[in-house]
Amino acid sequence: MVQTIPDRDISLYELEEKFGLQLATDTNFFPEWTEIPTLTDAQKQAMARVKSNYLNLNKHRLMSEEGVKMVVLSPLLDLAGFYQLPFEIETETSVEISAEDENFIVKGNIDVLVIQKRFWVLVIESKSSKFDVMTALPQALAYMLDRPNPAQPTFGLLINGREFVFVKLIQQEHPWYARSYALSIERDSELHQVLSVLKRLGELIRNS
């Protein structure tokens, strides 16, 4: 009997058991979130504006998922250059992944997908600011397992407006993943790092 589960209900345990997903503990596995370019003064000013907008709006009412996309995520993608060639943006992309025995299927929709020639550059799973950012990790990893080009690394970003977590997945004998720690919008150095990582990922794809 085939078991179908919504993406929002998947757990890390089920991804490990059904799809062989494993956590990489080698610090060299995910250098892209630490080996990053510095920002210009103009970019830092733009990030200060994003921070100010978020803090101002969120103190009146906890920001919804759509608000997070509009106020925080959209300007970040713009500043990182993901609205320019060679990149494209898709939203609410349907995915369906099945385990090797095909008796376990995960279905759902990716919030935002940045692609380049069908290479999944960034899977972005956004949550309301009232949720812990890590609640999106199993969901994002499930999406990333459905990538069309498993020979290339896939990167993800979890965001709830207040915090950001980057994820990397590589297919070897098994799919392996690693993640950054949570970067806070309330710390300027960490917010700058978020944009720097996005710019770094964009450069890697353009030069590959």
Side-chain angles (χ1 to χ4, degrees):
M1 179 178 178
V2 176
Q3 179 185 3
T4 301
I5 184 170
D7 55 358
R8 64 181 179 274
D9 294 334
I10 194 70
S11 69
L12 283 176
Y13 175 79
E14 288 169 316
L15 292 176
E16 292 172 358
E17 289 294 305
K18 301 295 186 180
F19 301 96
L21 182 67
Q22 298 185 34
L23 174 65
T25 56
D26 184 352
T27 56
N28 296 319
F29 181 87
F30 192 7
E32 293 88 354
W33 83 277
T34 54
E35 299 174 2
I36 52 177
T38 57
L39 300 183
T40 65
D41 288 342
Q43 289 168 337
K44 291 178 181 179
Q45 291 172 4
M47 293 305 290
R49 181 74 171 180
V50 171
K51 175 181 177 180
S52 175
N53 289 343
Y54 169 80
L55 293 177
N56 177 62
L57 293 172
N58 204 56
K59 70 183 177 183
H60 293 285
R61 184 180 298 107
L62 288 178
M63 195 170 291
S64 67
E65 183 174 328
E66 292 304 314
V68 169
K69 292 178 187 177
M70 179 174 66
V71 177
V72 181
L73 180 57
S74 182
L76 271 173
L77 294 179
D78 182 25
L79 288 166
F82 285 117
Y83 293 155
Q84 300 292 326
L85 293 175
F87 302 105
E88 302 172 41
I89 295 289
E90 293 184 5
T91 59
E92 296 300 326
T93 302
S94 297
V95 296
E96 179 176 315
I97 61 172
S98 59
E100 289 185 4
D101 60 11
E102 298 185 351
N103 289 326
F104 188 89
I105 297 174
V106 181
K107 290 185 177 182
N109 293 292
I110 301 172
D111 285 347
V112 181
L113 176 64
V114 181
I115 58 175
Q116 190 261 346
K117 295 181 180 178
R118 299 311 307 162
F119 170 60
W120 295 26
V121 177
L122 194 65
V123 176
I124 298 170
E125 179 58 28
S126 114
K127 295 294 182 186
S128 161
S129 60
K130 69 181 179 180
F131 292 113
D132 188 303
V133 69
M134 291 305 298
T135 62
L137 180 60
Q139 197 172 349
L141 285 169
Y143 299 153
M144 294 165 75
L145 286 167
D146 190 45
R147 65 213 178 284
N149 188 352
Q152 297 283 355
T154 304
F155 298 97
L157 172 62
L158 317 179
I159 171 175
N160 65 1
R162 183 182 66 256
E163 293 178 319
F164 311 82
V165 173
F166 288 95
V167 186
K168 179 181 181 178
L169 185 143
I170 293 179
Q171 178 71 47
Q172 296 174 341
E173 182 180 354
H174 300 282
W176 291 83
Y177 80 97
R179 62 175 178 83
S180 71
Y181 57 71
L183 302 166
S184 174
I185 198 171
E186 297 180 357
R187 301 185 184 94
D188 289 344
S189 61
E190 294 185 1
L191 181 57
H192 295 167
Q193 186 174 358
V194 172
L195 178 56
S196 292
V197 175
L198 290 172
K199 289 174 63 64
R200 168 71 169 150
L201 297 180
E203 290 170 0
L204 286 173
I205 303 311
R206 291 188 189 93
N207 297 328
S208 63

